[in-house]
Amino acid sequence: MLKINNISKSFRKHDKSLVTAIKNISLEVKSGEFQLVQGPSGCGKSTLLFAAGILLKPDHGSVFIDHNDTYGMDKNQQAFFRAKNIGFVFQQFHLLPYLNARENILAAHIPLKGSAMNQKDQCIRLEGLLEKLGITHCADQKPYQLSIGEQQRVAVARALFNQPKIILADEPTGNLDKENALIVLDFLSDFALQGGAVLMVTHSEYPVRGVSNIIKINQGHLVSD
Amino acid sequence: MKLSDLIVKENSHNPFVFILGIVAITVSIATMIILTTSLRLNEESIKKILKDKKHQLESQTAIMEYELKRIMKDYGYNIQIISKDLDLNQYYNQGYADAMMPENYLDLILETSIPIEHLYFTVEGKMYWAEANQRRVYILGQSSEKRGGLEDTREAEIQNAPPPGTAKLGYHLWTSLGLNPGDRFWLGGMSFQLRDCEPYRGTQKDISIILSIEDAQSILGTGKKISSINAIKVYQEDIGYADLEKDILSLLPEAQIILLENKLTTMTKSRNSAREAGEKMIAHETLHQQLFLQRLRVMNSWLIPLLLILGFALIAFLFYLNNRDRRREFALLRVLGFSNNKIIRIFLMKSIFMGLLGALIGLVSGYIFLFYIKNYPVNFYSLSLIVEPFMIIIVLLSTPLLTLAAGFIPSLSATRLDPVKIFQEFY
C-alpha cells in the first residue's frame, strides 16, 4: 500500500547549516498492516510521516501509495490524491474551531466534491462513524465544547470519512488519557484489520492490538524494523 | 458540506474581519456616492440657476423689445442720407454737408415701399455775402416735404420751407442788418423777401440764410444736386435698423446713412446696455460657479481615489491579518486535500461577498445620507433626482472586483504556507 524507497530529507537551519532529518529510509506498509514508528524526539519521525503523506517532498527517493508515484504528480493531483487516499490524525487534533463535530468530519469530503458520495450517502456514513466512535451525543458541538478525547475521536472520524487506503497518525494519543488513548488505538487497529494500512508515530507505551511491525528511527536513520 | 458553508461558518464564528471589511467598503462607497452625487446635484442646480437667469434676461429683453416695437410705431428711426464722399469728421466739425448727391436719389426712395412719415432734402454750403460786406454766411436750401404713396392719416408737415424768392434769416444776420419780416435784401445778385426772422439759437443757424431748394442750388451753383435727404419717423414692422440701412444703401450706392438720435435710439441703447449688463452678469456668475465646481472636482478627484485606496488597502490588510491568524487552519485544509484553487476560492468568495455587501450598504447609506442633508422629501421624483442607475451598476460591478483584487495576494500567500512547519510550531 505504502512503499517508501530510500528517502532523505535535509533542512537548512537559520545559521544556514544543513540538518539531515531522515536519511536513506525505506519501508513498506501493506494493506491490513499497522506499523509503528518510534524513536527519540527530533529523530525524524514526523518528517517521515509528512513525507509519506505527500506534504514534504524528499530530497531524493520516492513514495508510492497504491502503486502511484506520489511526488510525480502535480500539486492539484497530490491534493486530490491525499484527500481520497490518506487520513491524518495528529496529536493536536487540528479541528476547525468554527465548525461543529459533524461539520468538521464532513469538511474532509469538500476536496472530493464532484467525484464522491451524494449527500444521503454522506449522512449514512457520518452517522455510522459518529455512532461507532461514540460521539453522536456531541455531534453538534463546537470543538471547544468537546472533551479532549471527544476531539480526538472527531479527528479520527474525519480521517476515516473518505475511507482512505492509509492512515498516517502522528502521536494520536499524546494528549489523551489512557481510556481515550485505548479507544483511539482500537479504532486504528480496527481500520488495519479491515484492510487499511496504518503508519503511526508514537511514544506511547499503551498496548496496541494487531501491530505488525515497529520501526525504530534514530538521528534520521532506520535503526531496526 | 460545501466550500461556501465553510466560508459562511468561518465569518459567523469570527465576524471581526468581515464586519470591519464591510465597514471599510461601506464608508468608501458611501463617501464616494455622497461626493459624486453632491457634485452632480450642484452642477445641475447651478445649470438650472443660470438657465433661469438667462431665461429671465431673455424675458426682460423680450418685454423691452415689445416696448420698443410699440414705441417704434410712434417714433420710428430718424435718418439722414448724405453723400458717400462726405468725410464725417469734417461734417461734424464744419456743421454742414458740402459733398453732393444726385437729386433723383429722392425719387428712388419715394419709389420704395419704405414707410417714411416726413421726407425732405437740403442743399447746404457756405459763402461770402458780397452784398453784406462779404460776411460769411451759411446757406441752407430746404425742400418742402416729399410724399410718395401718401396716406390720408399722415401727420402734418414738420418742414416749413420758404417758397422761392423768400428767405429766413438767422438771428445774427437780421439783427445786425436791421431787417424785419417783409423787407427785401440782395444775395448773390438775387432779391429775396425776408419771410421769417429766426430766434437766437447759439448755433451756426444764427448766421444762416434759409432759402427754397431751387434758390439755394442757384446761389451755391450746385445744379440739380443735393446735400442731404432727411427721413423722419422711418418705420417698417419687423425690420430693424440694420436691414433698413442695407435696403437704402442698395438703392443709393453713392450714399451713406447717419442715424439721428431720438427717443427710440435712446431706448434701443438702454435696452442693449441692459442686455449687455445682464449677459455680463450671467457670464460672471457662470465663471464663478464653474470655478467653484472645478474646485469641487479637483477635491473629489483626490479624495475619492484616496478613500477607495484606503478602503481597499484596509481590506488587504485585514485579509493579511486574517491569513496570519488562520495559518493553522489553512495548513489543515492543505493536509485534508484542499487544492490551492480551493484555498484561493475561500478568500475570493469572501472578498466578492464582502465587496457586494459593502457596496450595497454603502449605496443605500450614501443615498439615505444625501436625502437627509439635502432635505429632500422621499418620493419618486427625489429618487430619480438623486439615485443614478448607472452609478449603482458601476459600483455593484466594480467593488467586488476591487475587493477581489485586495484579497488576491493574501490568498496566494495562504497557498504557499508550509503545513509541516506550521504544525511543528504547535508541538
Side-chain angles (χ1 to χ4, degrees):
Chain A
M1 177 57 57
L2 168 68
K3 193 168 185 185
I4 294 173
N5 295 325
N6 200 29
I7 61 167
S8 298
K9 181 73 187 174
S10 300
F11 296 103
R12 203 166 283 282
K13 286 166 72 177
H14 289 299
D15 61 0
K16 308 279 181 191
S17 60
L18 210 58
V19 176
T20 303
I22 49 174
K23 194 166 174 68
N24 300 328
I25 289 185
S26 296
L27 60 90
E28 187 173 2
V29 185
K30 292 182 180 160
S31 297
E33 284 187 351
F34 190 152
Q35 297 198 18
L36 303 182
V37 181
Q38 291 184 337
S41 291
C43 70
K45 303 187 297 289
S46 294
T47 303
L48 175 67
L49 206 72
F50 284 127
I54 334 176
L55 288 167
L56 191 64
K57 190 178 181 184
D59 298 335
H60 63 77
S62 56
V63 176
F64 283 85
I65 295 177
D66 203 15
H67 309 293
N68 293 289
D69 180 4
T70 54
Y71 288 102
M73 302 172 181
D74 67 29
K75 294 270 179 199
N76 285 335
Q77 286 172 331
Q78 282 179 346
F80 187 80
F81 188 86
R82 192 163 49 241
K84 196 159 194 261
N85 297 295
I86 306 173
F88 285 92
V89 184
F90 299 99
Q91 183 180 350
Q92 300 293 333
F93 326 131
H94 296 310
L95 299 177
L96 294 170
Y98 48 86
L99 301 182
N100 61 29
R102 190 190 301 275
E103 291 160 344
N104 258 293
I105 297 165
L106 288 172
H109 196 68
I110 295 174
L112 300 181
K113 189 189 165 198
S115 66
M117 290 176 287
N118 59 34
Q119 212 157 358
K120 192 182 166 192
D121 290 341
Q122 282 186 51
C123 279
I124 294 168
R125 187 180 294 176
L126 175 70
E127 294 309 322
L129 278 170
L130 289 170
E131 200 179 325
K132 197 172 166 188
L133 285 152
I135 46 176
T136 309
H137 66 283
C138 56
D140 295 321
Q141 289 179 347
K142 295 269 174 69
Y144 71 91
Q145 296 168 308
L146 302 174
S147 70
I148 299 290
E150 286 167 341
Q151 285 185 52
Q152 189 60 303
R153 275 182 274 162
V154 171
V156 171
R158 182 180 64 192
L160 293 170
F161 188 77
N162 290 340
Q163 295 183 328
K165 294 199 164 77
I166 182 165
I167 284 184
L168 301 174
D170 192 1
E171 301 277 10
T173 57
N175 281 334
L176 303 181
D177 56 31
K178 186 178 177 184
E179 186 189 350
N180 280 305
L182 291 174
I183 292 171
V184 168
L185 291 172
D186 266 357
F187 276 109
L188 295 178
S189 297
D190 286 349
F191 175 74
L193 287 171
Q194 286 160 18
V198 180
L199 183 64
M200 181 173 85
V201 169
T202 183
H203 280 118
S204 164
E205 291 177 1
Y206 299 128
V208 184
R209 188 162 45 91
V211 169
S212 48
N213 190 20
I214 297 175
I215 301 158
K216 301 263 185 196
I217 295 182
N218 195 10
Q219 293 185 335
H221 294 269
L222 204 62
V223 177
S224 70
D225 82 44
Chain B
M1 187 86 180
K2 294 177 200 155
L3 197 63
S4 54
D5 297 331
L6 205 66
I7 296 163
V8 172
K9 297 270 178 188
E10 195 276 326
N11 285 332
S12 53
H13 174 75
N14 182 17
F16 174 74
V17 169
F18 187 70
I19 291 172
L20 205 61
I22 295 284
V23 169
I25 300 167
T26 300
V27 170
S28 300
I29 298 297
T31 314
M32 188 192 77
I33 289 292
I34 291 164
L35 291 176
T36 52
T37 310
S38 292
L39 180 66
R40 180 174 58 80
L41 291 175
N42 274 335
E43 278 178 343
E44 281 168 9
S45 154
I46 286 166
K47 268 184 202 161
K48 190 179 177 303
I49 289 169
L50 291 175
K51 196 177 163 189
D52 287 350
K53 281 189 177 171
K54 272 182 193 160
H55 183 70
Q56 204 179 350
L57 180 69
E58 274 162 14
S59 303
Q60 282 170 352
T61 310
I63 291 168
M64 289 176 83
E65 199 75 40
Y66 173 77
E67 283 293 307
L68 272 177
K69 273 188 183 171
R70 198 175 57 77
I71 290 166
M72 203 180 269
K73 283 183 182 169
D74 295 336
Y75 291 92
Y77 295 110
N78 293 352
I79 60 173
Q80 189 175 34
I81 302 164
I82 51 177
S83 168
K84 195 179 176 181
D85 298 333
L86 183 63
D87 178 350
L88 286 179
N89 281 327
Q90 195 185 339
Y91 174 55
Y92 292 129
N93 193 32
Q94 68 187 14
Y96 67 95
D98 54 2
M100 298 293 161
M101 302 180 292
E103 194 176 318
N104 73 337
Y105 270 22
L106 191 76
D107 299 325
L108 292 174
I109 289 178
L110 286 171
E111 283 167 12
T112 67
S113 58
I114 300 168
I116 301 170
E117 191 69 39
H118 306 284
L119 183 69
Y120 60 94
F121 59 95
T122 66
V123 174
E124 298 167 34
K126 277 193 176 171
M127 64 174 285
Y128 292 102
W129 189 359
E131 289 90 345
N133 295 325
Q134 292 291 346
R135 64 194 305 168
R136 198 166 169 76
V137 291
Y138 167 58
I139 303 295
L140 172 62
Q142 283 184 333
S143 74
S144 55
E145 282 192 22
K146 303 295 172 186
R147 300 193 157 195
L150 291 179
E151 302 158 14
D152 295 339
T153 55
R154 291 181 73 153
E155 292 176 359
E157 290 188 14
I158 55 167
Q159 183 69 342
N160 183 19
T166 65
K168 296 178 190 176
L169 287 183
Y171 180 79
H172 285 311
L173 297 180
W174 66 264
T175 50
S176 62
L177 295 171
L179 293 171
N180 290 307
D183 291 348
R184 294 197 75 87
F185 64 88
W186 290 89
L187 172 67
M190 291 173 70
S191 172
F192 291 94
Q193 186 180 29
L194 179 58
R195 191 177 177 215
D196 285 315
C197 293
E198 292 287 305
Y200 177 73
R201 294 179 195 273
T203 63
Q204 189 172 247
K205 289 245 171 147
D206 291 338
I207 57 160
S208 64
I209 301 171
I210 302 164
L211 305 171
S212 69
I213 200 84
E214 298 85 354
D215 289 343
Q217 284 173 334
S218 171
I219 294 274
L220 293 170
T222 61
K224 287 291 184 186
K225 297 263 180 153
I226 55 174
S227 298
S228 72
I229 298 168
N230 294 293
I232 308 300
K233 289 196 181 178
V234 183
Y235 169 68
Q236 193 159 11
E237 201 162 1
D238 296 330
I239 291 189
Y241 175 71
D243 290 334
L244 187 70
E245 188 181 33
K246 205 170 144 188
D247 287 351
I248 293 173
L249 289 180
S250 66
L251 204 65
L252 313 173
E254 295 303 315
Q256 60 180 318
I257 297 174
I258 299 170
L259 178 65
L260 303 174
E261 290 285 332
N262 68 351
K263 191 173 177 181
L264 181 64
T265 54
T266 309
M267 280 196 71
T268 308
K269 274 184 187 168
S270 64
R271 186 273 314 260
N272 289 343
S273 303
R275 188 181 176 88
E276 274 172 25
E279 280 170 351
K280 268 186 190 166
M281 188 268 290
I282 289 173
H284 178 77
E285 184 81 11
T286 307
L287 186 68
H288 177 74
Q289 298 294 355
Q290 277 171 348
L291 284 173
F292 169 70
L293 288 174
Q294 185 60 27
R295 277 199 292 273
L296 273 183
R297 276 189 213 109
V298 169
M299 190 185 80
N300 283 4
S301 68
W302 284 99
L303 201 58
I304 292 171
L306 187 72
L307 276 165
L308 290 176
I309 289 168
L310 280 178
F312 293 105
L314 180 63
I315 291 167
F317 181 65
L318 287 171
F319 273 120
Y320 164 76
L321 289 182
N322 188 230
N323 184 12
R324 202 184 58 178
D325 294 342
R326 295 172 68 194
R327 285 162 70 239
R328 189 176 168 188
E329 179 192 328
F330 291 121
L332 174 72
L333 294 180
R334 294 207 53 199
V335 169
L336 290 180
F338 281 67
S339 63
N340 287 348
N341 289 345
K342 277 204 167 59
I343 291 175
I344 288 174
R345 248 193 284 166
I346 290 175
F347 275 89
L348 299 191
M349 282 169 80
K350 186 172 174 173
S351 310
I352 292 172
F353 187 61
M354 278 170 78
L356 210 56
L357 195 62
L360 271 173
I361 299 173
L363 280 167
V364 171
S365 52
Y367 284 129
I368 286 174
F369 187 76
L370 275 169
F371 265 98
Y372 177 73
I373 56 167
K374 296 277 177 190
N375 210 13
Y376 283 161
V378 181
N379 56 35
F380 185 75
Y381 175 72
S382 306
L383 273 173
S384 67
L385 205 65
I386 286 188
V387 177
E388 249 186 324
F390 180 69
M391 176 66 94
I392 293 175
I393 292 167
I394 290 289
V395 167
L396 288 180
L397 287 179
S398 61
T399 312
L401 285 178
L402 287 169
T403 49
L404 194 76
F408 188 67
I409 293 172
S411 74
L412 278 185
S413 71
T415 62
R416 291 185 183 140
L417 291 172
D418 182 356
V420 177
K421 277 187 188 165
I422 291 164
F423 280 180
Q424 280 172 347
E425 286 171 18
F426 292 95
Y427 289 136

